[in-house]
Amino acid sequence: MCGIVGYVGRQQCADILVSALKKLEYRGYDSAGIAVHSNGKIKTVKAKGKIAEGLEAKLAKEGKPYGTCGIAHTRWATHGEPSDVNSHPIGNGRITIVHNGIIENYREIKEFLISKGYGFESETDTETVAKLLDYYYSGDPIDAIISALSDIEGAYALGIIFRDFPEKIYAVRKESPLIVGKGKGENFIASDMTAILEHTKEYYLLEQGEIAVLDGDSISFYNLHKGSIEKTICIADWDMDAAEKGGYEHFMLKEIHEQPSVIKTTINPRIKDGLPDLSECGITPEKLNSYKRIFVVACGTAMHAGVVGRYVIEKLARVPVSVEIASEFRYREPIVSEGDLVIVISQSGETADSLAAMRLAKQLGAETLAIVNVKGSSIAREADMLIYTHAGPEIAVASTKAYMVQIAVMYLLAFEMALAAGKIDETECRRLTSLLRETPEKIEKILENTEDAQYIAAQLLTADSLLYIGRGLDYALSMEGSLKLKELSYIHSESYAAGELKHGTISLITDNVPVIAVATQQNLFDKTISNIKEVKTRGAKVIIVCRESYVPDKDIADFKFGLPDDVEDLLMPMAAVVPLQLIAYYTSVLRGNDVDKPRNLAKSVTVE
Ligand code: G6P
């Protein structure tokens, strides 16, 4: 989704802004622009398309605006198509803004402003905010911001510059994230830390309804009554390298390879004396034992991590778990009440539907537990209990390492819950925990064998569609495998419970609909093999992901991706997801797609 950056300091800011915008490209966007205080005017340059072909080309042609204070934006179109005129920054020469989020009552405000003589150029909701600020402005920016905000409904993060205050940036937020970075003789605003990591690690989290005023030397905060506020500074623990490709061709490949190390960083601090210990996250065995039902609410890949979690928690702790798509959960009057635990999983911690679902669960009396990767994000801040995954910045839009650590956390949680409920004893809990600790080594081994994934990817390039099938945990995993392929290769695919295939979907099988069968669960193995035969005899090309020692006959599979034999069934999703990620990655590469920024997708979906 949209990205915001602002710089005020002593350096020429155009290049700094453009380079920071490039760090936000991963969020997804379709136009970009900058606005700079330049010789008593606000100079804006913006263009549809990617930064390199659009904005940078225009800056090269028109010249970079000269100045040391400016704001910038990458826009992911919601109101109005991607176009130069709908791009941000948006303003009228006196006040210029960048905006993330959606102004829900923009039509009303627009009508009001038209009645006051204002004209509109763009189709955006953002332009109404810029003009409303202008309407209220009579020399004091904070007064104008406070008045405008009292009329606005919706979600926003705003970066604002006033022509009359050439060395200041104003910022405010509600729902949409925004941070204020503190440098030396220079300060920043940004949608997320990756944009400014190369300049500073110190930042403030702007809370709802707080206004930040920055110049090169100072940052002040005010509430909506104009009272000044003191805020605590935060230090980012992500470093620059984490947000660079580090020799890999794509962020996604780098992130796939980082999985062994991020599992360790995520789980090791939560294991004490060989047993899971989530007490630093506010989770105690007594609490875990008190829940009668668990809901996992999330979107996309994070929701798939919940599906794996459901199998594991139900199997070990014998507590009913339902996994819910956040955008459905929030509107279907869910039956949730006191005594229930609602787990919200989110890499970004800002997904609008997941956040709203969590708020609803709280209102209904449930306790909420967030499993989140981005520190200080909205979901992290509002949950009753919180487990941070330590995946570091995930830049590729298609999630890989974040999913891996989300499921690693679900395992820890399931183990602790099962022990607390007396469903497993301490010896078994230690055994499972130690197996979990061994998974990074197994994944390292799988990552040595990228050739097989490349070979398989080459077989899929011209497929009309694909089916991913499996049973039990293999089915849970198939969902993620299929989503990865769709996101990256743009080839249609579906995941299906292998046993359900013959009740309809098998009619889709042709020799150009390959089937990727995941068969790692030994108790279900024979049954899965029977289902594979059903598709094979109907002409499907079959790729099987299974233990190394299994050698499929030609009438079962055409290709095999072998996994280490010594991974316990329960933990197989952590191993088996790796080839599925690699297959999707290489299919995308071979088809010449934009791997890290697939079309139409956004990394952080902050609108419904
Ligand atoms: C977007 C991303 C997905 C992600 C989903 C949930 O759709 O493209 O990769 O899984 O949002 O994001 P979250 O940040 O809540 O995990």
Side-chain angles (χ1 to χ4, degrees), residues 231-463:
K231 287 184 69 71
T232 321
I233 198 133
C234 309
I235 313 287
D237 53 13
W238 292 355
D239 57 29
M240 238 343 256
D241 296 349
E244 300 289 336
K245 281 188 203 154
Y248 286 93
E249 201 179 333
H250 298 102
F251 279 110
M252 183 180 175
L253 191 59
K254 176 184 175 232
E255 288 162 6
I256 290 173
H257 281 268
E258 281 172 351
Q259 295 184 110
S261 89
V262 296
I263 296 172
K264 290 183 206 162
T265 343
T266 300
I267 64 168
N268 288 357
R270 278 83 183 244
I271 297 173
K272 306 256 156 66
D273 189 23
L275 292 171
D277 180 349
L278 296 164
S279 51
E280 52 113 15
C281 312
I283 300 162
T284 58
E286 296 70 41
K287 268 194 171 198
L288 287 178
N289 206 17
S290 69
Y291 304 116
K292 300 280 168 293
R293 285 185 312 176
I294 298 174
F295 295 83
V296 183
V297 184
C299 303
T301 291
M303 190 267 292
H304 291 158
V307 182
V308 172
R310 175 178 68 196
Y311 278 89
V312 182
I313 294 174
E314 288 194 339
K315 182 174 171 62
L316 295 176
R318 310 302 300 153
V319 181
V321 181
S322 68
V323 182
E324 309 268 350
I325 295 169
S327 55
E328 287 295 310
F329 177 85
R330 60 183 290 201
Y331 290 116
R332 73 165 169 78
E333 300 180 35
I335 305 170
V336 174
S337 57
E338 221 174 298
D340 293 337
L341 173 66
V342 174
I343 303 176
V344 180
I345 307 180
S346 175
Q347 188 284 129
S348 63
E350 299 293 351
T351 303
D353 283 317
S354 304
L355 178 60
M358 188 176 82
R359 287 179 180 158
L360 173 66
K362 281 179 105 169
Q363 260 173 33
L364 296 171
E367 276 211 273
T368 53
L369 162 63
I371 299 175
V372 169
N373 196 42
V374 176
K375 276 210 175 139
S377 54
S378 304
I379 294 175
R381 279 186 279 173
E382 291 186 29
D384 299 317
M385 296 170 285
L386 170 65
I387 307 179
Y388 276 122
T389 51
H390 297 303
E394 190 178 61
I395 307 292
V397 169
S399 182
T400 53
K401 63 175 179 172
Y403 170 83
M404 184 64 90
V405 288
Q406 286 160 355
I407 57 178
V409 165
M410 291 308 276
Y411 280 106
L412 276 184
L413 201 62
F415 299 166
E416 185 159 355
M417 204 174 265
L419 181 63
K423 303 290 182 198
I424 56 171
D425 61 14
E426 216 179 280
T427 315
E428 176 63 356
C429 193
R430 271 181 213 288
R431 188 185 75 84
L432 291 170
T433 310
S434 118
L435 289 177
L436 180 64
R437 283 186 103 144
E438 288 167 17
T439 51
E441 291 158 40
K442 319 275 182 212
I443 295 170
E444 299 274 11
K445 248 174 124 184
I446 300 168
L447 287 169
E448 285 165 15
N449 176 22
T450 55
E451 292 79 15
D452 281 359
Q454 290 181 47
Y455 181 77
I456 293 167
Q459 314 303 312
L460 306 178
L461 295 183
T462 54

